[in-house]
Amino acid sequence: MIFSPRYFSVEKEFPLAMEQVWDLLSNTEHLNRTLGLPAINYSPPTGAKEGFYRKASTQLLKTFSLTWKEYPFEWIYPERYTVLRLFEGGFLERFFGGIELQRKTWGTRVRIFTHLTPRNLLGWLLVPLIGRKGVRDTLNYCQTFLPLTPSKAGDPFPRPKRRNPIPSNSFNNLFTKLANLPVDKSLIPRLRYLLLQGSEEEIVHMKPFALAKAWKADRYEVLRLFLYATKIGLLNLSWELMCPYCRVIKAEYETLTELSSRFHCDACGIDYEANFDQYVELRFSVHPRVRRADYQIHCIGGPAHTPHVLAQQYLPPDTGRELFLTLGEEDLRVRAFRYNQIVMLKPSPEKIETLDLLYGEEGWQTSSLTYRPGPVRIRLWNKSSKVLLALLEKVQWDPYAVPAAYVTTLQEFRSLFSSEVLAPDQQIGIENLSVFFTDLKGSTSLYEEVGETSAFNRVRTHFQFLTQRIKRHEGAIVKTIGDAVMAVFSLPERAVQAALEIQSEIEEFNRSLALDPPLIIKIGIHHGPAIAVNANDRLDYFGRTVNIAARVQRESRGGDVVLTQELFQDPRVQKVLKDFQIKVDPFQTALKGIEGTFTLYRLYLSRPQVL
């Protein structure tokens, strides 16, 4: 007997922006978990003649075992998404469902739909129950969201009812301890609520910068809170290895020592080298002694799983698809999943509102296109003999990630987790690092004039002076070399600002300690790629950028800051320089052991402007 598909749908308008509704419903992992749907086991993606899919299985109502082929979700942000599942045995033949959103003057119309095809008589009996319950429960999920919107709550998503218990005494003791540490006290109730009320997936792989946005808090302070919470045992940290294409976690390590520099992504079919800038992220999970997080997957392919993807479309051979999107002023790309051929899309003032992209046997017929920000029509054509999964995605990396390149240049991280170093045989690249060297002018004569003990105490006190200002601007001291200091910053503007504040405040420092002769500091900075290594059980940095920075410091006369041309011309650095009254003296010189002639900029500081 052949059974016809059954259709179920519900519609309702909500006084919410379409983007809010999308954020709510596109997080299918959280949605399915909150609705009480069972966990799903997924296999790696398969590429075959019939197209890309994952084998998946679950138990429904703890009675019926279901196995199916799940094809990739298709979506267009923030308008709609769908998913197709073809079942292998059991009472269901086929599932096709999703959501459609329509912007209204006062909110958003939401349509939730599902098409279920029964395989047998049991399926024919169960499908009406499953179909109606599914769409209505999803609509009720939206209704529950209304009183939890950001204007009324900091964590707006509906919460699952079931959570693992928390031992109250140890939990309260840990938060008492946290309150006595140098963290922003206003953030502690936020973290407490999250660990108590958060769903399983919310308390594993936590991203402090994303939570800072939800909490409307300073991201640096939220990160500091998480670091101190980890130190006392409330949280665990982990290093996540992210694929450069799909940007999904491919490996997880508890310490940097376990980290390997080379990785493989089964989904994208690529091997790649890790780097600290993007592919290694720091995330946090609740400590198992605080709350057991039995994390199981409830959905792996929803749009929120890859939020950088604005549209994803599945095209069988010799088919086309037309998409209408509103695009902003940012670089985008269209990528062929698994084949990894790319077309770059760049914004342009030219009136280009239709983009034609043709995919043939050798890949895309063009490597780049321009578009005019605003409404854009994209026409995709798959003229090849293979299935094409086309993704329109942002080029910019996740702005809420905490990259290893950033956190390992924080003084507090290096102080709290000094054992976090690479294995002795590992080297990890960093694309952007500001390397900062200081030295004391005339330190040799200082030891002669005031004696070794007094001079040593002055040098040690000046190290504390430098550490405070470097830490203030999110940098870290890597090592001291005699009277000199090597420090690193992830952000070049922070390095320059720290240097200028050091020079502006050293006079008061000398006066407060009645130092005679006064200490005079020489500073040189360069920004560029470097290599992170383990040197004497310490995270250290080597490479040409480090060598240049050391030589640039030698060009300092004392009381000044010397920058390389690339660093001086960086727009972020130029913005910082406007906050100070400085005299700029450019000059050219050769740096010992470095090929070529360098243009350097000597900055003389009179006094900072009052901001």
Side-chain angles (χ1 to χ4, degrees), residues 212-233:
K213 181 188 177 186
W215 296 348
K216 297 181 175 61
D218 181 271
R219 55 168 47 194
Y220 175 60
E221 291 301 329
V222 175
L223 176 57
R224 292 183 65 253
L225 174 74
F226 274 64
L227 291 175
Y228 279 99
T230 300
K231 190 64 178 178
I232 64 172

Side-chain angles (χ1 to χ4, degrees), residues 426-440:
Q426 289 295 331
Q427 299 178 355
I428 305 293
I430 301 177
E431 294 178 6
N432 294 281
L433 186 73
S434 290
V435 184
F436 177 115
F437 277 93
T438 75
D439 200 1
L440 284 177

